[in-house]
Amino acid sequence: MSKRSEKRKYTNGELDEACTQRQSDESGEDRLEEDGGLSQIDSEEEESFLQGKDITFDEPSSHSDEDWEPPSAKRSQQEDSTSEEEELLLPTPARSAKRGRGKGRGRGKGKGARRSLSFSDQASTSAERWNDMDIPDIEPPRITFCPNRTPGPQLIMTENYTPVQLFQLFFTSTVLLTTVANTNEHGRAHYSTPSNPWKDIDLHDMFCFMSVLIYMGVVKCSSYTDYWRGGDLYSLVFPRRVMSRMKFGKILWALHLSSATMDAENEGRRGTPAYDRLGKIKPLYDEMREACQRNYHPNQEIAIDERMVASKARIGLKQYMKRKPVRWGYKLFVLADSKTGYTWDFFVYEGKSTANTGKGLGYESVMELIKPQLLGTGYKLFVDNFYTSTTLFQDLLKLKVWACGTVRTNLIGFPRTTDNSLDSKSPRGSVRWIRKDSLLYVQWKDTRDVSLCSTFHPAHTGETVSRRIRSADGQWEVKDIPAPPVVLDYNRHMGGVDLSDALIVFYKVLHKTKKWYKTFFFHFLDIAIVNAFLLHKELAVAKGQVPMNQKTFRETLARDLAKMGSATTDMPVQGSAPARARAKHHRPVYISGDSTAGRRKCRHCHQKTPVKCLTCDVSLCFLAGRDCYNEWHIANF
């Protein structure tokens, strides 16, 4: 008889030793059988073995499936370094399991090891399963909205504010006087020659300059010089009447927001952490952020998103985003009111994070803009998948700020299970959800799969949306499909920053320039105009009036700023020309009684002329080919 056919009888000691070895030397296949509900067979195999039968048996492990984890490489090294004295301190089941894992490693990368790793992936998601809409969700906690101020304009709601008064809430006289002083300083240093010395500008000149800039956003020309061109195609009256082309060009060239002393001090810190890359825009930058927060308080729904300011200047601040309508430019992170599009706060991305929390740029950007000490609590924040993270939403909850946003499926914390998840065969309108403590993850089937995360929404409420769906016979028909409330609220409130961007881009004053700080001056001017326009709308609606549209608002603002800057040498400050025009007749006369001596600039075309209007005391050309006298009076009276 061969050795294989011999039956061996075991003693009690050998039987105990064999049982102990099999308890610790479980393979992945045996554990899978346990999970499959086959544990009752083990007792039958033990009984068969004790009866003397040669049948493979397996004894159940002393650890539960929930506590069992596959041995990682790092953990294996740590276990190898454990001394025998430490091992003897372990309980008998744990000590035997440790020895069994050591034997398993000694066998190499066998089939059992691969099956154990495969099971670990399954065990990690065994407690998770995507739920259908027929499974009720818990009711999320009610949100108590406690803003620090009454939401809306922080103004006297019954007062009548003109467009220029609302605009001056952002571009205050203090800011403009600082800009004028720095521009004069920069102009004297860089744009003054013996033959053409720099002439200091004043606040009236700055009003005229901004008036022309706003007009250029409404009436588009390809070049600055086109606004002062004559001929049949151009001959624009407004820019000529407000300011000469040469004066506008000089202010534009010398425009500077910071002082020479500040620039020199900041330049001396270059290469150190104290160097400020935004030093040349700091005076206006800080004032604009403060003014936006001072004059308005957001409603409960707010949104945070990026904004690109177009530029191709060669500077490290410039960013490239291939999926944005504006690919090259400066990136701003903006917090806007979802209802109105009001820009409440923003900051310029400098190419690196200043917080360095290690939690990502999206996390740090949101924490930079969310200020509960200024906003209050109970706000609902809407973000896209660039910002959404488990850590961010949990930290916002600690600040009593609720959040909602689209989420990337490879995000840490997103459910990894595919049990009952959406697939290609799921019908349109299918909803799957999983709740993890305060976080709700939702999958929704529309034209494609949409994944969202929220801290204040229920999984489903029975709401529907209309969609055009092709039927089985190929005909399009409108059907109502289920839609989770998180999707409806996200679509309704996420577009706050996009609304603000749209209002800016309609009539933006931005022109190409090689100086990066001038680009920001133009953009800050746009932010001030749009925010002032939104304040005008809220005030008008509160009083039951019909507000102006943005184009009319900008036209009125440009006209009012031109009037504020009209106190020049050509027109005296006292009295008004229209009032005198109604009292007297207009007569052209020579300025000095001579056709060549005492000439002054024409108020209309800004060329030299010896003629003026005696009633208005305004220098105007009165020639056959240049009849500025009649053109100016027709435009103004």
Side-chain angles (χ1 to χ4, degrees):
M1 181 181 291
S2 62
K3 292 183 179 181
R4 292 184 179 180
S5 61
E6 291 180 358
K7 293 186 177 180
R8 180 183 175 187
K9 293 185 177 180
Y10 293 86
T11 64
N12 293 334
E14 293 174 341
L15 177 61
D16 293 339
E17 182 178 357
C19 292
T20 303
Q21 291 177 355
R22 289 302 295 173
Q23 178 185 6
S24 61
D25 194 20
E26 290 179 322
S27 66
E29 184 175 2
D30 295 330
R31 288 187 178 275
L32 289 174
E33 289 178 354
E34 288 182 7
D35 293 339
L38 303 178
S39 58
Q40 60 180 357
I41 301 178
D42 296 340
S43 60
E44 296 176 1
E45 291 177 340
E46 287 184 21
E47 184 178 357
S48 300
F49 178 80
L50 293 175
Q51 293 175 2
K53 298 180 181 180
D54 190 7
I55 300 175
T56 303
F57 71 93
D58 191 8
E59 185 177 352
S61 174
S62 60
H63 301 287
S64 65
D65 291 341
E66 296 180 354
D67 297 332
W68 182 85
E69 293 182 359
S72 62
K74 180 177 180 181
R75 194 163 147 197
S76 300
Q77 293 176 1
Q78 293 175 351
E79 291 173 352
D80 289 339
S81 62
T82 306
S83 62
E84 294 182 1
E85 291 82 359
E86 293 175 343
E87 184 177 348
L88 291 174
L89 295 176
L90 297 172
T92 301
R95 187 164 65 247
S96 62
K98 176 178 176 63
R99 290 171 183 167
R101 286 194 296 270
K103 290 182 180 181
R105 289 194 303 273
R107 289 195 297 269
K109 298 179 180 180
K111 184 175 181 181
R114 287 196 300 270
R115 286 183 179 177
S116 296
L117 290 176
S118 175
F119 171 74
S120 68
D121 298 334
Q122 181 178 355
S124 63
T125 60
S126 60
E128 295 179 349
R129 185 180 186 276
W130 289 101
N131 301 308
D132 296 316
M133 287 193 299
D134 55 353
I135 299 178
D137 185 21
I138 63 173
E139 185 70 22
R142 297 186 62 181
I143 301 175
T144 303
F145 183 42
C146 300
N148 285 348
R149 299 181 295 177
T150 303
Q154 302 302 301
L155 305 171
I156 302 174
M157 300 301 290
T158 57
E159 195 72 26
N160 291 322
Y161 293 91
T162 63
V164 72
Q165 288 175 332
L166 295 173
F167 174 76
Q168 286 185 304
L169 295 174
F170 303 92
F171 270 78
T172 62
S173 297
T174 303
V175 171
L176 291 178
L177 287 173
T178 303
T179 304
V180 167
N182 294 333
T183 300
N184 285 329
E185 182 184 35
H186 191 71
R188 287 191 296 267
H190 297 89
Y191 296 96
S192 181
T193 61
S195 60
N196 188 16
W198 172 263
K199 294 181 180 179
D200 286 351
I201 63 173
D202 56 14
L203 192 58
H204 297 93
D205 296 323
M206 184 56 66
F207 285 142
C208 292
F209 176 72
M210 292 191 300
S211 172
V212 175
L213 283 177
I214 297 171
Y215 174 81
M216 290 177 175
V218 178
V219 180
K220 301 290 185 180
C221 289
S222 59
S223 171
Y224 285 124
T225 58
D226 291 341
Y227 292 94
W228 285 270
R229 286 179 62 182
D232 298 335
L233 296 179
Y234 296 94
S235 297
L236 300 174
V237 176
F238 186 80
R240 292 183 179 184
R241 182 168 57 86
V242 175
M243 178 177 285
S244 67
R245 179 178 61 84
M246 290 301 297
K247 191 169 188 178
F248 177 86
K250 283 188 175 182
I251 297 176
L252 183 64
W253 298 334
L255 181 66
H256 215 70
L257 306 180
S258 59
S259 64
T261 305
M262 292 175 57
D263 292 343
E265 292 176 355
N266 191 43
E267 191 64 27
R269 296 190 291 265
R270 183 180 288 273
T272 66
Y275 176 72
D276 189 359
R277 303 182 71 182
L278 304 177
K280 289 190 176 182
I281 64 171
K282 269 298 181 187
L284 183 58
Y285 176 48
D286 293 339
E287 179 62 26
M288 278 299 301
R289 292 186 65 179
E290 183 181 351
C292 290
Q293 299 172 20
R294 181 175 62 245
N295 297 307
Y296 188 85
H297 201 78
N299 295 286
Q300 187 175 15
E301 290 80 16
I302 56 178
I304 290 179
D305 204 354
E306 312 101 82
R307 173 186 293 165
M308 293 292 289
V309 181
S311 176
K312 289 191 177 180
R314 296 184 178 180
I315 185 173
L317 291 173
K318 183 181 61 177
Q319 302 291 318
Y320 174 73
M321 300 183 68
K322 66 178 181 179
R323 289 185 174 87
K324 290 287 184 180
V326 178
R327 298 184 180 181
W328 290 98
Y330 309 115
K331 182 193 292 186
L332 279 70
F333 291 96
V334 181
L335 187 153
D337 183 87
S338 296
K339 180 181 178 182
T340 62
Y342 183 94
T343 300
W344 190 79
D345 195 12
F346 63 93
F347 71 91
V348 180
Y349 177 55
E350 303 179 35
K352 60 180 180 180
S353 176
T354 57
N356 294 325
T357 61
K359 299 179 181 179
L361 178 60
Y363 177 94
E364 293 161 0
S365 302
V366 172
M367 287 303 180
E368 171 74 15
L369 294 171
I370 291 291
K371 301 179 177 67
Q373 67 276 14
L374 298 178
L375 282 170
T377 58
Y379 274 88
K380 298 178 181 179
L381 174 65
F382 295 84
V383 294
D384 61 19
N385 57 23
F386 175 76
Y387 306 90
T388 302
S389 68
T390 302
T391 305
L392 173 63
F393 281 22
Q394 290 175 344
D395 289 351
L396 288 175
L397 275 179
K398 297 176 183 177
L399 301 176
K400 296 184 179 180
V401 176
W402 280 258
C404 166
T406 54
V407 60
R408 299 172 182 175
T409 55
N410 59 354
L411 178 74
I412 297 176
F414 188 84
R416 292 287 181 264
T417 181
T418 58
D419 187 8
N420 197 35
S421 64
L422 295 178
D423 54 27
S424 58
K425 297 182 180 179
S426 299
R428 195 170 183 179
S430 300
V431 178
R432 302 290 187 271
W433 62 275
I434 288 180
R435 181 173 292 279
K436 290 185 175 182
D437 298 329
S438 58
L439 298 180
L440 172 70
Y441 296 94
V442 175
Q443 288 183 339
W444 184 53
K445 185 78 170 184
D446 197 18
T447 52
R448 60 184 180 87
D449 292 349
V450 181
S451 300
L452 298 100
C453 180
S454 174
T455 58
F456 63 92
H457 284 100
H460 50 82
T461 56
E463 297 182 83
T464 60
V465 293
S466 298
R467 292 289 187 269
R468 294 181 69 249
I469 300 177
R470 190 188 294 272
S471 60
D473 56 357
Q475 299 296 324
W476 290 96
E477 56 183 356
V478 178
K479 287 186 177 180
D480 291 336
I481 63 173
V486 59
V487 173
L488 301 179
D489 274 357
Y490 180 84
N491 291 336
R492 190 179 297 118
H493 301 298
M494 179 55 203
V497 179
D498 295 335
L499 175 57
S500 178
D501 292 345
L503 292 172
I504 288 175
V505 79
F506 285 152
Y507 307 104
K508 65 179 180 180
V509 303
L510 179 63
H511 282 74
K512 290 183 179 179
T513 176
K514 294 182 180 179
K515 302 297 183 181
W516 65 273
Y517 53 87
K518 294 181 184 178
T519 301
F520 279 107
F521 174 81
F522 295 146
H523 185 65
F524 294 160
L525 188 60
D526 277 326
I527 291 177
I529 297 171
V530 170
N531 280 356
F533 166 67
L534 294 174
L535 291 177
H536 160 74
K537 284 185 63 177
E538 295 248 346
L539 291 169
V541 171
K543 291 183 289 189
Q545 300 174 355
V546 178
M548 292 184 282
N549 57 41
Q550 188 188 179
K551 183 179 180 182
T552 305
F553 183 87
R554 285 184 179 252
E555 292 170 348
T556 307
L557 178 60
R559 191 181 298 110
D560 292 346
L561 287 173
K563 290 179 181 179
M564 293 175 63
S566 63
T568 60
T569 56
D570 288 342
M571 178 177 288
V573 180
Q574 295 83 9
S576 65
R580 293 195 304 271
R582 289 190 295 267
K584 299 181 180 179
H585 295 289
H586 297 266
R587 288 191 302 160
V589 297
Y590 286 112
I591 295 173
S592 61
D594 192 344
S595 61
T596 58
R599 294 190 302 168
R600 295 192 304 191
K601 285 185 179 180
C602 174
R603 183 64 183 278
H604 188 63
C605 68
H606 303 287
Q607 299 187 32
K608 292 293 185 178
T609 177
V611 178
K612 70 174 183 178
C613 176
L614 181 62
T615 305
C616 302
D617 195 24
V618 175
S619 303
L620 295 165
C621 299
F622 192 58
L623 301 173
R626 198 167 67 243
D627 189 4
C628 299
Y629 181 87
N630 288 308
E631 291 180 3
W632 187 85
H633 281 87
I634 291 173
N636 288 274
F637 302 106

